[in-house]
Amino acid sequence: MPLISSGSKGVFVISATPFTESGALDLASADSLTDHYVAKGADGLTILGMMGEAPKLTQAESRAFAARVIGRLPDLPVVVGVSAPGQAAIGELSKAVMDMGAAGVMVAPPGSLSTNESIEAYYAQVVETIGPDVPLVLQDFPLATNVAISNGTLGRIFEAHPSIVMLKHEDWPGLSKISALRDAEAAGRRRTSILCGNGGLFLPEEMARGADGAMTGFCFPEMMTDVVRLMTAGETERAHDVFEAYLPLVRYEQQPGVGLAVRKHVFASQGIIADARIRSPGAPLSPQAVAEVETIIRRQAARLAHLS
Amino acid sequence: MPLISSGSKGVFVISATPFTESGALDLASADSLTDHYVAKGADGLTILGMMGEAPKLTQAESRAFAARVIGRLPDLPVVVGVSAPGQAAIGELSKAVMDMGAAGVMVAPPGSLSTNESIEAYYAQVVETIGPDVPLVLQDFPLATNVAISNGTLGRIFEAHPSIVMLKHEDWPGLSKISALRDAEAAGRRRTSILCGNGGLFLPEEMARGADGAMTGFCFPEMMTDVVRLMTAGETERAHDVFEAYLPLVRYEQQPGVGLAVRKHVFASQGIIADARIRSPGAPLSPQAVAEVETIIRRQAARLAHLS
Amino acid sequence: MPLISSGSKGVFVISATPFTESGALDLASADSLTDHYVAKGADGLTILGMMGEAPKLTQAESRAFAARVIGRLPDLPVVVGVSAPGQAAIGELSKAVMDMGAAGVMVAPPGSLSTNESIEAYYAQVVETIGPDVPLVLQDFPLATNVAISNGTLGRIFEAHPSIVMLKHEDWPGLSKISALRDAEAAGRRRTSILCGNGGLFLPEEMARGADGAMTGFCFPEMMTDVVRLMTAGETERAHDVFEAYLPLVRYEQQPGVGLAVRKHVFASQGIIADARIRSPGAPLSPQAVAEVETIIRRQAARLAHLS
Amino acid sequence: MPLISSGSKGVFVISATPFTESGALDLASADSLTDHYVAKGADGLTILGMMGEAPKLTQAESRAFAARVIGRLPDLPVVVGVSAPGQAAIGELSKAVMDMGAAGVMVAPPGSLSTNESIEAYYAQVVETIGPDVPLVLQDFPLATNVAISNGTLGRIFEAHPSIVMLKHEDWPGLSKISALRDAEAAGRRRTSILCGNGGLFLPEEMARGADGAMTGFCFPEMMTDVVRLMTAGETERAHDVFEAYLPLVRYEQQPGVGLAVRKHVFASQGIIADARIRSPGAPLSPQAVAEVETIIRRQAARLAHLS
C-alpha cells in the first residue's frame, strides 16, 4: 500500500460519499465513483473530508466506507480525514484506517484555536496521538475552520514534525501563501507537498506559484488532472484554455452549501452514483439550480469541443 | 424509568465524566460521582453534555458511560446530551440511551444555523429523527453554540413539537428571556420546564423570574439544591445568603476552559473521583489556580459555618 | 436630483475612493473615475461602501468625497453608504448627503444582531433616525456583516418601511433568495428593487432569477452594463458569452483583501486614477499578483476581440 | 499634564459618557461624574472606551467630551480610547487628545486580525501613525474584539515599541496570562504596567498574580480602589472581604449589554448624572432588573456596614 510523502504530486480527488435513496451508505456507488475518479486520472483519493459528509456518518459507517475505498485501490494512495473534537477519536480512526492500508490521514484544526502557539501545540498533540510514523496532511482551510495559520506557524509545525508531509492548501485568498511557503523552502525549510483545494478555482495560478497539484472535489476531475498535467509540462496557455472552459461550473460549485449538491447531481445524472441524496442537514438542488447547472454544462461541452 | 416532562423541577446536575490517570473512562468513579450528586440532593442528572467532555468520547465510550449512570439511577431521571453534526448520529444515540432508560435527550443547535427559520427547521428535523415520543430538551446556549434563539422562535418551536418539554436556559444575559417566556405562557403558550445553566451564576434571580430549577454542574451541588429549595419556599433572603456564600467559587468556575478543571479538582481532592484528568485538548489546574481555589474554598467554608 | 425607487434598474457601480501617493483623498481622480463609470454605462453610483474604504475615512473626508461625486453627477442617482456603529452618526451623515443631493442611503446591519427580531428592530430604528422620506437601501451581505437575514425577515422589514426601496443583494449563496423574494412579491408582497453584489460573480443567473441589475464594483464596469442589458433584452446566450469573457478576472477580484487592490491597480494602470494606493490596513498587489492580473487581462482582451 | 508610564499603578476608572434625556451629550453630568470618580479614589480616568459608548459618538462629540474631562483633571492622567477602523482616524483623534493634555491613548485590535504576525504588524502601524512619543495602552479584550493575543506576541510587541507602556488586561480567562507576563519580565522582558478590566470580577486574584491595578468601570469605584490598596498593602483577607461584599453586583454588572445600563442607573439614582439614558442601540434597565439591582445594593450595604 503506498504512503504519501513530501514528494507527492498530482490530483487527489476529494471523494463524495454516496447514499441510497433511503439514506443508507451506498457502497456499490462508492465503487463506481472510485472507478470514475481513477478513470479520469486521479493520482489518489481523499475520503471522509468535509465535502464527504464525514461528520454525518456514524463511526461504523466511516470505517465501512474507508475499508471499501481503500480495498478497491490497492495501488493508489488514499488519504483519510480523521478530524474530530477529541484526540481519542482521532487516534482510534487513524489507527483503524492505517491498518486498512490508508496512505495517510488529514487533520484540520478545531475552531477553538486562536493563537499561533495554540495551533502549534495542537499539531504536536495530534502527532503524539497518531504516532510519528503515520503520514499526516495538515488541512489549512480558514473559511471553514475559522483558524488562520500563518506561513511562520506552518514552518514551525513542519520543522517540528517530519511526519507532516503535505499541506492541503485552502486558505482564501491563498496565492501569496504558496509563494511564501516555497520561498521559505528555498531559504532552507524542509519541503512539504502542497495540494490545493477551494474546488480548483485558482488552480492555474496555484500551480504557477509552486503547488504540487490539487486536492479537491470538482465534479469533472478531468479538469484538474488536465490542468495539473499541462501546467507541469509548461503548457501554460493551454492549461488556462482548459481551466476557463470549466470555470463557470467551478464557480457555481463553489457556492457554500450548494456545491456538494451540484457534485452529486452531476455524478447521479451521469449514472456514476445511484442517487444524489445528501444527508440532513443538507438539501438537494432546486429545479432552478438544476436548470442553471444544465445550461452551464451545455455551454461547457461546446467550449470543450471547440478546444480539442 | 422516569421520563422528564414539562412539569419537571429541581436540580439536574450536569455530570462530569471521570477518567483514570491513563485517560481511560473511569466507571468506578462515575458510580461514586453519581452517588455524590444524589447525596447532595440532585433531582436528576444530565450526562454527555459539553462539560461532560462528550465530544471527546468515542461512541462506544459514550454508550458505556450512559449505561452505567442510567443503570445506577433506576428511580431518577437521566437526561443525555446527543448533539452531533448529523441527524444519523443523533438518532442512533437517542435510540440507544432511551432503550437504556434515559429520561430524555438534549440537543443544542449547530453553529451553522443563522436565522429563526433555520433554527425552527432544525428542531423539526431532530424531532422527526428521534421520534415524537422521546422527551427532548432544547439547549439554548448562545455563548457556546453561537446561535441566538429569540423568545418568539422558542415559542414556535414549543408549539410545533409537544415532545420538547424542557428548555436548558443558558442565554447570556438571559434573565429577561425567562420573564418573556413565562409571560408568553401566561398569554396562552404551552408551558415548558425551564432549568438554568451558566454554572448557577444567576440562580436566585433566575428562580425569581420563573425558572423551575437548575441544570448545571457547579462543583458544590448543595448550593444549587439549597437555593432552588429556598427560593421555591419563598425564603428569598436566606437563598441569597446561601448563594452569596458560594458566589466567589461560582464566579471562579465560570472561567471558560478553567471551570471543568476546577470541578474535577474539587471532586478529586474530596476523593469523589479518582483523578482530575481532563482529556486533551484541555489542561489541568496550574499550581497557582489550585492555590486560588483553595483560598476560595477556605473562605467559603467559614461563611457557611457562620450561616448555619 | 434623482432619487432611487423600488423601480430602479441597471448598474450602480460601487465606486472606489482614490487616494494620492501620500494617502490624501484625491478628488481629481474621483472626478475622472466617476466620468469613467458613466462612460461605461453606469446607471448610478454607490459611494462610501465597504469597498470604498469608507471606515478608513474621517467624517470630513467622507463628506468632501460625497459632495464631489454628487456634484459631478447632477442627473444620475448616487447612493451613499452610511453604516455606522451608532444611530447618531447614521443620522448625521444621511442628512448631510441627502442635502447634497444623494439619491438615497445604504445601511448594512451591525454584526451584533443575531435574531430576526433584532434585525427588524434595527431597521425600524434606522428609518426613524433618517426619516421616512429618505430612500433606503438594505445591504444584505452576510459574509461581511455576519448577519443572515431570511426572506421572511426581509419581507416584514419591507412591508413595515416603504422607504426601503432597494435590496443590495449580496447573500452567498444567494440565487435562491432572489427567487424567494420575487415569489413573495408575486404572492402580494410590495416590490423592491434588487441589485446584486459579489463582484458580479453570478450576474447572468441573478438576472434570470429576477434581479433588476447589479450594484458592485468589478473593474470593467462594461461587463456589468453589457450583461444586464443583454439579459434584460432576452439575449441570454450572448450575455453568458460576455460574462464568461470576463469571468477569470471576476473570480480573481473576488479574493477578499485582494479585490480592491486589483480594482485600483487596473484603474491606475489605465490612467483613470492617479495612484493605486489603499489606505492602511490594506496592501498593494504583489508583483506576482500584478503578473497574474496582466495575464488574465491579456487573455480577456483576446476573448473579447473574438466575441465582437 | 501627567503621562502614563510603565510604572503607572492604581485604578483608572473607565468613565461612562452621560447623555441628557433627549440624547445629547451631557457635559455638566460629565463634570459631576468625573468628580465622583476622583472622590472615590481614582488614580486616573479612561474615556471613550467601549463602555463609554465611543462608537456611538460623532467625532465632534468625542472631542468635546475629551476636552471637558481632560480640562477638569489637570493633575490626573486621562487615557483616551482611539480605536477606529482606519489609521487616519486613529491618528487624527490621538493628535487631538494629546494636544488637549491626555495621558496616553488606547487601541484595541480590529477583529480582522487572525495571526500573531498580523497583530504585531497592526501595532507597528499604530505606533507609526500616532508617533513613538505618545504613550499607548494595548487593550487585550478577546471577548469583545475576537482577537486572541498570546503572551509571546505581547512580548514581541512590547519589545518592539517602548511607547506601549501599559496593557489593559481583559483576556478571559486571563489569570494565567498575568503570571506569564510577569514571569517573562522576571526573565528579562521590558516591564509594562498591567491594569485589569472585566468589571473587576477577578480583581483580588489579578492583584495577587502581579497586576498593577484596575482599568474598568464598576459602578462603585470604591470597591476597586479599596481592593487595590489592600492587596498592595498585603491585607489579602481584608481585600477579599471587601471584594466579596460587592461581588453580587460585580457579577450582575458583567452581563453583556446590561452592564452599562446598570452603571448608568446606579449613577443616576444617586444623582451623580442627570439621566441614565443609553444611546441607541442600547436599552435601559427593565423594571424587573431595577428591582434586582436594588435588592443587590440593599444587601451590599448591609454587608458593608457589617464589615466596617
Side-chain angles (χ1 to χ4, degrees), chain C residues 2-307:
Chain C
L3 295 178
I4 56 167
S5 74
S6 62
S8 292
K9 290 180 185 305
V11 176
F12 281 58
V13 182
I14 301 270
S15 177
T17 304
F19 300 107
T20 65
E21 204 182 344
S22 69
L25 200 57
D26 180 354
L27 293 176
S29 287
D31 287 346
S32 50
L33 182 61
T34 299
D35 295 348
H36 175 72
Y37 290 140
V38 173
K40 294 300 182 182
D43 300 288
L45 247 59
T46 300
I47 59 174
L48 302 184
M50 299 178 193
M51 288 305 263
E53 304 181 66
K56 301 181 201 163
L57 303 182
T58 66
Q59 288 179 355
E61 289 173 330
S62 295
R63 291 181 188 209
F65 184 72
R68 185 73 164 234
V69 174
I70 294 169
R72 197 163 184 93
L73 294 177
D75 300 323
L76 278 193
V78 177
V79 172
V80 182
V82 298
S83 300
Q87 297 291 339
I90 290 175
E92 210 177 59
L93 184 56
S94 291
K95 178 157 187 353
V97 299
M98 293 309 294
D99 287 349
M100 292 173 194
V105 298
M106 181 164 74
V107 175
S112 55
L113 305 178
S114 57
T115 63
N116 292 12
E117 290 84 351
S118 64
I119 299 166
E120 293 173 44
Y122 183 77
Y123 279 97
Q125 286 181 333
V126 170
V127 171
E128 191 188 330
T129 297
I130 66 174
D133 296 329
V134 174
L136 179 58
V137 182
L138 188 160
Q139 184 174 16
D140 181 20
F141 191 8
L143 209 62
T145 62
N146 211 20
V147 179
I149 316 180
S150 70
N151 170 49
T153 298
L154 286 172
R156 285 187 296 276
I157 293 173
F158 293 157
E159 294 291 9
H161 309 292
S163 64
I164 304 182
V165 296
M166 187 183 283
L167 177 74
K168 178 169 181 358
H169 167 277
E170 212 147 12
D171 204 349
W172 168 252
L175 294 173
S176 62
K177 184 179 268 186
I178 300 174
S179 298
L181 286 161
R182 291 309 188 207
D183 288 350
E185 292 174 355
R189 185 193 287 171
R190 178 174 73 78
R191 190 187 198 282
T192 54
S193 172
I194 300 176
L195 299 187
C196 295
N198 279 323
L201 193 62
F202 290 90
L203 192 49
E205 286 89 356
E206 289 162 343
M207 292 301 295
R209 296 271 192 150
D212 293 307
M215 182 185 278
T216 189
F218 180 57
C219 55
F220 285 85
E222 53 267 48
M223 181 280 278
M224 302 188 284
T225 53
D226 283 356
V227 168
V228 168
R229 180 179 48 75
L230 289 164
M231 288 299 297
T232 305
E235 298 186 47
T236 306
E237 294 295 317
R238 179 74 182 174
H240 278 276
D241 289 344
V242 171
F243 173 73
E244 288 161 4
Y246 291 96
L247 181 54
L249 186 57
V250 171
R251 161 203 66 126
Y252 197 93
E253 211 201 62
Q254 274 302 95
Q255 299 176 84
V258 174
L260 180 60
V262 172
R263 282 182 197 173
K264 288 196 160 181
H265 169 81
V266 169
F267 292 139
S269 65
Q270 296 177 356
I272 298 165
I273 61 176
D275 199 277
R277 185 186 181 90
I278 294 176
R279 275 203 177 163
S280 169
L285 283 190
S286 69
Q288 286 162 305
V290 167
E292 287 162 349
V293 168
E294 285 173 0
T295 295
I296 293 168
I297 291 180
R298 173 177 53 75
R299 293 179 55 89
Q300 173 178 296
R303 280 191 301 273
L304 289 168
H306 188 261
L307 254 190

Side-chain angles (χ1 to χ4, degrees), chain A residues 62-272:
Chain A
S62 294
R63 291 181 188 207
F65 183 72
R68 187 73 164 232
V69 174
I70 294 169
R72 197 162 185 94
L73 294 177
D75 301 322
L76 279 193
V78 178
V79 172
V80 182
V82 299
S83 300
Q87 297 291 339
I90 290 175
E92 210 178 59
L93 184 57
S94 291
K95 177 158 188 352
V97 300
M98 293 308 295
D99 287 348
M100 291 174 194
V105 298
M106 180 165 73
V107 175
S112 55
L113 305 178
S114 57
T115 62
N116 293 12
E117 290 85 351
S118 63
I119 298 166
E120 293 172 44
Y122 183 76
Y123 279 97
Q125 285 181 333
V126 170
V127 171
E128 190 187 332
T129 298
I130 66 175
D133 296 329
V134 174
L136 178 59
V137 182
L138 188 159
Q139 184 174 16
D140 181 19
F141 191 8
L143 208 63
T145 61
N146 210 21
V147 178
I149 316 180
S150 70
N151 170 49
T153 299
L154 286 172
R156 284 187 294 277
I157 293 172
F158 293 158
E159 294 291 8
H161 309 292
S163 63
I164 304 184
V165 295
M166 185 183 285
L167 178 74
K168 178 170 182 356
H169 167 277
E170 211 148 11
D171 203 347
W172 167 253
L175 292 174
S176 62
K177 185 179 268 186
I178 300 174
S179 297
L181 287 161
R182 290 308 188 209
D183 287 351
E185 292 173 354
R189 185 193 289 171
R190 179 175 72 79
R191 191 187 197 280
T192 56
S193 172
I194 301 177
L195 300 187
C196 296
N198 279 321
L201 193 61
F202 290 90
L203 192 48
E205 286 89 357
E206 289 162 342
M207 292 301 295
R209 296 272 192 149
D212 294 306
M215 183 186 277
T216 189
F218 180 57
C219 55
F220 286 85
E222 52 267 48
M223 181 279 278
M224 302 187 285
T225 52
D226 283 357
V227 168
V228 168
R229 181 179 46 77
L230 290 164
M231 288 298 296
T232 304
E235 299 185 45
T236 306
E237 295 294 317
R238 179 74 182 174
H240 278 277
D241 289 343
V242 170
F243 173 72
E244 288 161 4
Y246 290 97
L247 180 56
L249 186 57
V250 171
R251 160 203 67 128
Y252 197 93
E253 212 200 61
Q254 274 302 93
Q255 298 175 85
V258 174
L260 181 61
V262 171
R263 281 182 198 172
K264 287 196 161 181
H265 169 81
V266 168
F267 291 139
S269 65
Q270 295 177 356
I272 299 164

